[in-house]
Amino acid sequence: HDALPIWSMYLRSRQTDPATLAAATIPVERIPSVITVAGQDDQVWPSDLHAENIRSRRAAHGLETTAVTDKQAGHRTVLPGESVVSGGAPMRRGGTETADRRLGQLAWAEMLVLLAAGGQ
């Protein structure tokens, strides 16, 4: 199988009527604490743009959002202690294992902060 074009599956998933798309949108403004994690070299979908959309939607409701990004990380964030998964559909995921692990380490640190605060 050839790798799929950048963001092709994601773009196809959004080709639906506005009501269906709205119904599938997670109401992030109703969640007390949110951490977004985005590799800026994500080749599966524009995760960095969506992380910013989440931050903007929450900010409009007076809510803060912790954003964790890495310019060189791709689609797969690898948390400390995790193995790199190699299965799934053949596609370009972007990033490097080193960058994906670095993003995972940054994300893990923020998750620990959130847990220590009791999720608030």
Side-chain angles (χ1 to χ4, degrees), residues 1-2 22 40 61 64 66 68 71 91 99 104 111 118:
H1 293 97
D2 289 334
Q40 292 174 300
H61 289 84
E64 297 218 7
T66 300
V68 181
K71 288 182 185 273
M91 65 179 76
M111 288 182 238

Side-chain angles (χ1 to χ4, degrees), residues 2-74:
D2 289 334
L4 298 171
I6 295 174
W7 300 350
S8 65
M9 290 190 331
Y10 165 73
L11 293 173
R12 281 195 312 268
S13 76
R14 296 188 56 87
Q15 293 174 348
T16 186
D17 65 275
T20 300
L21 194 55
T25 300
I26 297 169
V28 296
E29 47 283 323
R30 295 188 347 209
I31 303 170
S33 299
V34 172
I35 300 171
T36 60
V37 180
Q40 292 174 300
D41 188 38
D42 190 334
Q43 301 294 303
V44 177
W45 73 303
S47 59
D48 57 337
L49 297 175
H50 285 286
E52 176 55 26
N53 288 342
I54 289 168
R55 190 207 59 75
S56 292
R57 284 178 43 207
R58 289 177 50 78
H61 289 84
L63 299 169
E64 297 218 7
T65 303
T66 300
V68 181
T69 63
D70 186 295
K71 288 182 185 273
Q72 297 174 327

